[in-house]
Amino acid sequence: MTEIPHRLNAILEECKALAFDLNFTAAKDWKKAGKDRLLVGYLPIYIPREVVHAANGLAVGIMGGGDRKQIIKGDAYYQSYICHLPRGVVEMALDTNLESFDGFLFPSICDCVRNLSGMFKLLKKGKFTRYFDYPQNFEKHIGGTFYSELIETIMRDMFQLNGVQVTPEKLNHSIGLYNTNRRLIEAIYNIRQEFPWRLSAVDTYHVLRAGITIPVERHNEILQEVVDIIEEEQGEPLDNIRVIISGSFCEQPPIGLIKSVEMAGCYIIDDDFMLGSRWIQGDIDDSSGDPLNEIVNAFLTKSAPSSAVYDVGNPRAARLVEQVKARNADGVIFCAASFCDPALLDRPEMQKACDAGHIAHINFQFHENTGQFKVIKEQAGTFSDSIKLWV
Amino acid sequence: MAEIKEAVKEKSMVIQKEMLADLFTELSTAKENGKKVVYTFVPGNLTELILAMDMLPVYPEINALQSGMRKKSGSYIKDAEKVGFSEDVCTYVKCDIGMMLNGNIGPTGEKLPPPDMLLLSYTGCFTFMKWFENLERLYPGVEIAMLHTPYQEDGKITDDQVKYMIKQLTDDVIPKMEKVAGKKLDYDRLSKMLENSAKAEDLWVKVLQSAKSTPSPIDAYFAGVYYMGPMNTAFRGTEKAVEYYQELLNEITERQQLGLHPVTPEGEMKEERFRLVVEGPPNWTNFREFWKIFYDMGAVIVASTYTKVGGLYDQGFRHDPDKPLESLAKYCMGCYTNLNLPQRVDLLEYYIKEYKADGFLINSIKSCNSFSAGQLLMMREVEQRCGIPVGFIESDLVDPRYFSYANIKNRLESYFQMLGQRKVIMEQEVNAD
Ligand code: SF4
Ligand code: SF4
């Protein structure tokens, strides 16, 4: 039995180091190890990484500088009332962190990220820079067609750099690998739903975030090992409440914040921290003759609820309530980055839905480099106590 | 705070006032008269489509800015914050929602009719989508159509993007509009309206370009926001709009020929000391005081990007009666905030050179990431390319808490001082040659 914690600790250490290596050493080493390999950085939230993989590329998630990157130049690029994430990213771009990246993708999530794509162009970063404008129309022949064309543009960008043709076979193979990746991630969340003490939220976060910095093949090995280990009993259950964190899908809360919430007596049994890696809910068909079409369909019909997607007809507030029930959660913590329009404009409606469903909730705002968590810990502690008292 | 005298009105202003009064009267009686009301946005608006189906448009941003000017926005914003909206988010949205929570009383003091349709056609701003998601919840069951306008991420409008937009129009937006209007779209009528649009656009461009002369007969920012009203709202495509722009142009041409300076709320300016290009929206809560700081210093805005949020006609775009849907699609994609940052910098450089500006100023708006994110880099680029003094001030559209008169005045005075010194040096250099 002592073997298992030892193995788990080793994996967690590896993941922790990978997750916060803002020099992306593993990704850069991967690129060096083979001819025609491409590094494609992407901002939160989602891009179809399968396509990059099939073009002999590695899609590397750039989630901001967090509290690990000292902002020297970045602040001079942003007014005080703009969220923190883009200034960390600009800092990295102006420093050496993103050297040897071939291209950058900026998924459509808000105007800050959109304009950041233009800043990369003005600063001449990357051999290609694309704003990844997901369709907000979900009809196959309208939004679907537009989305296919968007993906094909990115394939052309990559082809021009390395001459690698994405064949249906290659794309199916990549889809298969990412299906495994998503399944294993969901397996971790499902185990944690019942036995949240077996892997802390902080450790889960490290395991997921590590995955956006390394090849999916290696991440799948890591995930499989974690799943194998936590399928067995680990640790001791505590008298904690069970919460879902909502609103941290882009700028990431500092680890200290996640830790504080846990220490205040909350098991975080679901969250939207690494939403991009969990975006497609379920598998994408990996045996089709037209795999690109399958990727498009998956986006149109299997996207996770998110503030990035027009949600009339399928409201994300209702889906949050369903998630609370499905995960058997006691409450929701709304935890959005300061100045984050998408998260903060969605919050009132989601709070209303929670009220209507008699779901307890509290709310924090943070910056990725917040250093003080005393207040958050106290608030989360009070929240936990009140739920324990009344539920 | 600065004291402002009574405004001086020209004939074109009177026409515009009448147009607006008529519209709001029509709106207030819309329900009795069986007129359908469509809420939509200014940038990338489909006004001609709405009017061609005999429906009436309402623009929530215009209501918000009017609330700002009427000093109502502060309390509306607070009311929206009370129901859970964060202090950090776009104040236009909060002002609009606050106004609705307070009975939806429009700028003329009359109650605005609730929408029969929410037409979410929007350009260049992600927050618009969030705004209408919220409105949809305030008006449950109302027909809602979404026209997603792709961003000019690569600095151009592609064929794929045009096709995507036309498909959305033909297969989704127009059928929904027809359902609400209870009639089919008459394409001939639409084309006729687009013909009027193009005529008004020609005239509007001439108005804007009059600022190339020295002295400029217009202020292309503070007065420009009034001039652009009919073009960007409920009147594009109407004969009335053509008439308005013809009258406006006549007045301005006359002023230009006489070598007159812009008209301000306190009469005509007496001198043009500085010619500026301004990026970013104005502040509405203290609009007149804000303007006064400029005209008191002899500063005239000769070109602004804000007057292009409703379309970049001065760069050649015209609505095309022969290609109605294609031109509506291109119109939406061509609005200023749908340009990528390099395009925005190019445009600013063009304005500075073409309009012989002495300075470039950014009014950075707290609420508006669409405009503000990236402006500091844009400023550097412009400074490098054009070699003129750049200035930077911060305010908000409609949240009075973010307009600090003293602070802005101090900054602008220092900036104008710098421009003045530079002028002296340059004149000395010319004389020495
Ligand atoms: S944190 Fe929010 S506002 Fe900032 S870049 Fe991300 S989505 Fe945009
Ligand atoms: S963010 Fe700017 S463009 Fe968007 S709705 Fe607000 S004020 Fe308008």
Side-chain angles (χ1 to χ4, degrees), chain A residues 43-45 82-86 109-114 116 247 249-252 336-343 366, chain B residues 369:
Chain A
L43 276 281
I45 310 179
I82 290 177
C83 67
H84 203 273
L85 173 120
I109 166 68
C110 75
D111 299 323
C112 286
V113 167
R114 186 197 70 177
L116 185 58
F249 43 81
C250 181
E251 182 171 322
Q252 301 290 290
S338 295
F339 303 107
C340 178
D341 260 19
F366 66 87
Chain B
N369 288 341

Side-chain angles (χ1 to χ4, degrees), chain A residues 32 58 65 339:
Chain A
K32 271 187 243 150
L58 176 58
F339 303 107

Side-chain angles (χ1 to χ4, degrees), chain A residues 11-162:
Chain A
I11 295 168
L12 294 179
E13 281 308 311
E14 181 188 348
C15 289
K16 191 172 162 185
L18 285 167
F20 285 102
D21 175 10
L22 297 183
N23 281 313
F24 303 101
T25 319
K28 287 174 185 166
D29 287 348
W30 173 86
K31 180 177 157 82
K32 271 187 243 150
K35 213 166 92 359
D36 302 329
R37 291 184 171 187
L38 300 177
L39 284 189
V40 180
Y42 69 97
L43 276 281
I45 310 179
Y46 166 76
I47 59 141
R49 292 182 290 167
E50 294 85 343
V51 175
V52 178
H53 184 269
N56 202 17
L58 176 58
V60 181
I62 301 170
M63 307 298 281
D67 52 1
R68 321 285 164 120
K69 181 87 189 158
Q70 203 194 345
I71 306 296
I72 301 161
K73 300 174 202 144
D75 277 340
Y77 286 79
Y78 284 101
Q79 300 89 315
S80 57
Y81 40 79
I82 290 177
C83 67
H84 203 273
L85 173 120
R87 55 194 89 217
V89 175
V90 163
E91 188 75 36
M92 289 198 273
L94 295 173
D95 208 338
T96 55
N97 303 59
L98 304 179
E99 263 174 14
S100 78
F101 277 60
D102 297 283
F104 297 97
L105 298 177
F106 297 81
S108 162
I109 166 68
C110 75
D111 299 323
C112 286
V113 167
R114 186 197 70 177
N115 289 3
L116 185 58
S117 71
M119 291 173 74
F120 268 54
K121 282 190 204 287
L122 284 171
L123 294 166
K124 302 198 168 40
K125 296 291 165 190
K127 294 173 198 136
F128 69 90
T129 300
R130 292 252 173 230
Y131 178 63
F132 198 69
D133 208 352
Y134 316 116
Q136 300 291 357
N137 172 297
F138 303 99
E139 296 296 327
K140 197 168 169 348
H141 72 292
I142 309 176
T145 307
F146 176 68
Y147 192 43
S148 306
E149 287 156 355
L150 190 67
I151 297 177
E152 277 162 5
T153 308
I154 286 152
M155 284 173 162
R156 275 198 298 277
D157 287 335
M158 292 187 291
F159 179 78
Q160 272 169 12
L161 294 181
N162 68 358

Side-chain angles (χ1 to χ4, degrees), chain B residues 5 7 12 96 101 140 185 196 220 302 326 331 358-359 372 374 379 413 431:
Chain B
K5 293 185 208 130
S12 60
D96 184 40
L101 296 174
L185 170 64
N196 282 335
V302 289
E326 185 181 325
Y331 160 70
D358 309 304
S372 304
M379 185 170 76
E413 279 175 355
N431 291 339

